[in-house]
Amino acid sequence: MKHLLKMSDLSKAEIYELLDLADTLKKEVKAGIQTPYLKGKTLGCIFQKASTRTRVSFEVGMVQLGGYPLFLSSNDLQIGRGEPVEDTARVLSRYLDGIMIRTFEQKEVEDFAKYGSVPIINGLTDYAHPCQILADLMTIREFKGTLEGLKLCYIGDGNNMANSYIVGMLTAGMKVSVATPKGYEPDADILAKYQADPNFELTNDPKQAAKDADVVVTDVWASMGDEAEADQRKKVFAGTFQVNREIMNLAKADAMVLHCLPAHREEEITAEVFEEHANEIFEEAENRLHAQKAVLVTLMK
């Protein structure tokens, strides 16, 4: 593992190694122990998309590991004024020990890895969100004790989260059922690769997807970059593609609910269901810190 660009970069064994390390790092922090695994190391954090959890968790994580995080807004970099990615990657690689990028195009992250000479971490693109998936896997295992054979139901837009749930959860040994409106399905290449997997289901019926689910997840109807489509998407998604009491009654009685946040209550999830499962959702948010620290240690130590 040289980089973390998308979930398909990880084997099942590598996912479990990261989760085990994340568990250990979380226990250390809870016990007041902060081992400087990355003492003297510097992580550049490039943001072309706004962030709450990604920025704070990576910056705090690097400090807890004894390293130094450097916030790099695209507005302050020459890449924001037209400098080629390959030049920025080669320059920053001479200053930094690792780079985390939160941007739009997956190609930009892939190009950083191609032309740079330090580990590259995808903090989110329109295609994938691997750090969130690792946090979700960590949270599910904490609450359920295992991942193997559990069914995850995703209801909503076939966006970066849907793409990453399909790859990450199936690789980890889970079953995945995805429900999206027609025309809003996940990435075609991912579907082509996994559509024959007996543990994967794609449907336009959220009730079918939710049946006997152990974990129910959702995301906003209009992701960053899709704001211009927000009104149209509300018309398509409203009333059907929502995690609500009716959906939860179809899932298992002890089903978890996760949300990568921010959540738009009464759109993709009702306030009632959100608050009933707030403990799981905010544990999931916290686990971004621990899962990403595991990635940082693995790539940069």
Side-chain angles (χ1 to χ4, degrees):
M1 177 181 170
K2 295 175 60 178
H3 309 285
L4 179 57
L5 310 180
K6 51 191 179 298
M7 284 307 298
S8 58
D9 290 340
L10 300 174
S11 66
K12 183 174 183 178
E14 287 172 326
I15 287 175
Y16 278 88
E17 286 171 7
L18 287 170
L19 296 181
D20 290 344
L21 178 55
D23 288 343
T24 298
L25 294 171
K26 184 174 184 177
K27 289 175 183 176
E28 288 184 357
V29 168
K30 298 297 184 183
I33 302 168
Q34 293 186 13
T35 305
Y37 296 102
L38 299 182
K39 183 178 180 180
K41 302 281 189 177
T42 303
L43 177 75
C45 301
I46 300 175
F47 287 90
Q48 295 190 16
K49 281 189 174 185
S51 168
T52 298
R53 282 150 292 276
T54 299
R55 178 174 179 179
V56 176
S57 56
F58 268 107
E59 291 191 6
V60 170
M62 276 299 290
V63 171
Q64 290 182 353
L65 293 169
Y68 183 81
L70 187 63
F71 174 75
L72 302 169
S73 166
S74 60
N75 295 327
D76 302 325
L77 296 174
Q78 294 297 335
I79 195 172
R81 299 176 59 203
E83 181 174 55
V85 170
E86 53 265 38
D87 292 355
T88 301
R90 285 181 283 196
V91 168
L92 292 182
S93 292
R94 293 172 180 255
Y95 301 146
L96 304 167
D97 300 292
I99 299 172
M100 185 284 297
I101 314 170
R102 184 178 172 91
T103 187
F104 292 89
E105 294 186 14
Q106 179 70 18
K107 184 178 185 300
E108 188 164 347
V109 176
E110 303 280 349
D111 283 347
F112 260 91
K114 179 179 179 180
Y115 293 101
S117 56
V118 297
I120 306 298
I121 300 169
N122 179 353
L124 176 142
T125 64
D126 291 345
Y127 175 77
H129 199 356
C131 292
Q132 182 66 58
I133 297 304
L134 290 171
D136 286 15
L137 286 167
M138 180 180 180
T139 309
I140 294 167
R141 193 168 71 159
E142 283 182 351
F143 279 84
K144 295 294 187 181
T146 186
L147 296 172
E148 292 285 351
L150 296 182
K151 177 182 175 179
L152 178 137
C153 160
Y154 173 86
I155 296 173
D157 183 30
N159 58 13
N160 50 7
M161 288 304 302
N163 293 337
S164 300
Y165 277 126
I166 293 168
V167 180
M169 276 43 187
L170 289 175
T171 303
M174 296 180 66
K175 301 174 182 177
V176 178
S177 185
V178 172
T180 70
K182 291 181 180 179
Y184 293 87
E185 290 83 2
D187 182 82
D189 289 341
I190 288 177
L191 294 181
K193 181 175 181 180
Y194 291 97
Q195 63 185 359
D197 190 318
N199 290 321
F200 174 59
E201 175 188 40
L202 177 65
T203 177
N204 300 124
D205 183 357
K207 294 179 182 179
Q208 179 180 333
K211 190 176 184 337
D212 296 326
D214 298 283
V215 187
V216 178
V217 297
T218 187
D219 192 11
V220 295
W221 292 336
S223 301
M224 282 181 286
D226 294 327
E227 290 86 356
E229 302 176 15
D231 290 341
Q232 174 60 29
R233 284 170 174 258
K234 282 184 181 180
K235 295 176 183 177
V236 174
F237 286 76
T240 303
F241 293 87
Q242 180 189 71
V243 176
N244 51 34
R245 175 60 50 215
E246 184 178 12
I247 288 294
M248 295 309 299
N249 286 341
L250 294 168
K252 289 184 179 176
D254 62 347
M256 295 174 61
V257 173
L258 297 179
H259 194 304
C260 60
L261 302 178
H264 295 172
R265 290 167 176 80
E266 305 308 331
E267 289 188 9
E268 74 275 2
I269 188 169
T270 62
E272 176 192 22
V273 172
F274 185 95
E275 292 302 332
E276 282 183 2
H277 295 271
N279 183 46
E280 298 152 11
I281 292 169
F282 289 105
E283 196 71 24
E284 169 194 17
E286 178 186 331
N287 284 341
R288 285 288 301 278
L289 170 65
H290 310 300
Q292 288 164 188
K293 284 172 65 179
V295 172
L296 291 168
V297 171
T298 300
L299 291 178
M300 295 175 60
K301 186 177 178 182

